Amino acid sequence: MGNQTVVSEFLLLGLPIRPDQQDLFYTLFLAMYVITVLGNLLILVLICLDPHLHTPMYLFLSNLSFSDLCFSSVTMPKLLQDMQSHISSIPYAGCLTQMYFFLLFADLESFLLVAMAYDRYVAICFPLRYTTILSPRLCLSLLVLSWVLTICVSLLHTLLMARLSFCADNVIPHFFCDMSALLKLACSDIQINETVIFILGGLVIIVPFLLIFSSYARIVSSILKVRSARGIRKAFSTCGSHLSVVSLFYGTIIGLYLCPSSNNSTVKETVMAVMYTVVTPMLNPFIYSLRNQDIKGALRRVFSKWTVSFFSNQ
């Protein structure tokens, strides 16, 4: 108790990068962040402007793009600022705020991937009843439920973190205010926090993952009943983008947050965090657009409309 003090700020150690490589990695991460922002904004604009994309699938995709955009913006600007200024301090309130929004958009992406998996399941297994099952009311309900659950879960974690006391050591061996890193610095009992993390981790990560797995198990079962090779290829191409995103997201996050902190080295935690905070949000727009004829068609239509409008005003 004698070593406890009121912590007004934390120091972020950042990425394990040598000083002579700082400029190189700063340029790399800046380029990746710009690509992330522009890519996700492009998908949002296309879905808003093109009526052909006003379907349940693209409603969920627009929310996923918004989530990716915000998710990356929670950590990347601060990381870039620290790499440029070499001042890596963050206020106590700012640290908790960053943790809250980080958890919010990470959990939101998990629930949105479930909604998109259900969309693909209905589209492939019940194509004639697709518009009836996925009604606007159901889609809106799924989105509202996803947002409400993630807001509540993130707020609970943040409030439990705010009740902890921190010792004189305020150095976080990470590039953002990660929940597990903050728990290691706490002087007070963290048993309640760890219990809540374990329980809610099952709700936010394991349950959605099992729902996605169940959806695709039924999709595969339905596809195997199709005797047409063309139909099988079309079905798999429809799910390919979503499966790629699911693999990227869950492949990095399950092993990190559902395993005890002592089993993960600092370097491993940092590398995995970079994967799902920087790489995944950047790749998602490419995954959903490169092989997606609807997105390509929408881009051509919007571009043609703007071109005609521009030259007609000349």
Side-chain angles (χ1 to χ4, degrees):
M1 293 297 295
N3 293 329
Q4 288 184 349
T5 183
V6 178
V7 175
S8 60
E9 66 177 15
F10 292 98
L11 297 178
L12 300 170
L13 285 186
L15 299 173
I17 301 173
R18 297 201 308 266
D20 59 312
Q21 297 178 333
Q22 284 283 340
D23 292 338
L24 173 63
F25 278 93
Y26 175 83
T27 304
L28 175 62
F29 284 122
L30 177 60
M32 295 174 71
Y33 180 60
V34 171
I35 292 173
T36 300
V37 172
L38 294 179
N40 285 288
L41 279 178
L42 177 62
I43 289 184
L44 282 170
V45 170
L46 289 177
I47 293 174
C48 290
L49 295 181
D50 194 330
H52 294 85
L53 300 182
H54 294 173
T55 63
M57 174 184 175
Y58 293 104
L59 174 64
F60 297 137
L61 179 57
S62 63
N63 278 264
L64 182 67
S65 294
F66 177 76
S67 176
D68 282 336
L69 178 61
C70 296
F71 186 43
S72 183
S73 298
V74 169
T75 56
M76 286 302 293
K78 176 60 178 172
L79 172 63
L80 293 171
Q81 178 188 357
D82 293 346
M83 294 178 71
Q84 189 68 15
S85 64
H86 305 290
I87 301 175
S88 57
S89 63
I90 183 171
Y92 174 82
C95 188
L96 291 185
T97 302
Q98 186 186 56
M99 189 194 81
Y100 169 77
F101 283 106
F102 178 86
L103 294 173
L104 171 64
F105 292 112
D107 295 347
L108 179 61
E109 182 154 347
S110 182
F111 287 115
L112 289 175
L113 290 175
V114 176
M116 297 176 76
Y118 180 67
D119 171 85
R120 294 299 83 204
Y121 163 69
V122 175
I124 293 176
C125 297
F126 307 99
L128 299 180
R129 299 170 54 197
Y130 178 77
T131 55
T132 304
I133 297 176
L134 280 173
S135 62
R137 181 177 180 179
L138 177 60
C139 294
L140 183 61
S141 299
L142 290 174
L143 288 177
V144 170
L145 179 62
S146 299
W147 278 94
V148 170
L149 283 175
T150 52
I151 289 174
C152 293
V153 169
S154 305
L155 184 60
L156 177 59
H157 282 306
T158 306
L159 292 176
L160 288 175
M161 185 66 69
R163 73 180 181 86
L164 299 179
S165 301
F166 293 91
C167 300
D169 184 12
N170 65 337
V171 179
I172 300 176
H174 222 308
F175 64 93
F176 67 96
C177 292
D178 180 62
M179 182 166 57
S180 61
L182 283 172
L183 289 177
K184 293 178 183 179
L185 299 180
C187 294
S188 47
D189 185 17
I190 62 172
Q191 184 175 358
I192 296 178
N193 298 68
E194 291 180 333
T195 303
V196 172
I197 289 173
F198 181 79
I199 295 173
L200 294 185
L203 171 67
V204 175
I205 299 177
I206 299 300
V207 172
F209 181 79
L210 292 177
L211 290 174
I212 293 173
F213 181 82
S214 175
S215 296
Y216 275 100
R218 297 190 178 189
I219 287 173
V220 170
S221 176
S222 179
I223 289 175
L224 293 178
K225 296 177 183 179
V226 178
R227 298 189 178 185
S228 168
R230 181 181 179 183
I232 294 176
R233 284 195 302 269
K234 183 178 180 180
F236 275 115
S237 65
T238 302
C239 303
S241 300
H242 183 256
L243 276 174
S244 302
V245 173
V246 169
S247 300
L248 276 173
F249 182 77
Y250 285 103
T252 56
I253 210 170
I254 286 181
L256 182 59
Y257 285 106
L258 290 187
C259 295
S261 300
S262 59
N263 291 349
N264 293 302
S265 67
T266 302
V267 175
K268 177 187 174 183
E269 289 181 354
T270 304
V271 171
M272 294 178 72
V274 169
M275 278 297 297
Y276 68 81
T277 58
V278 182
V279 178
T280 301
M282 182 190 69
L283 291 180
N284 284 356
F286 293 98
I287 292 173
Y288 278 107
S289 61
L290 290 180
R291 296 184 61 185
N292 192 313
Q293 298 302 321
D294 293 335
I295 295 290
K296 292 179 181 178
L299 183 61
R300 286 192 295 267
R301 287 189 294 270
V302 171
F303 182 76
S304 299
K305 184 178 180 180
W306 284 354
T307 303
V308 171
S309 176
F310 175 78
F311 285 109
S312 64
N313 292 330
Q314 296 299 317

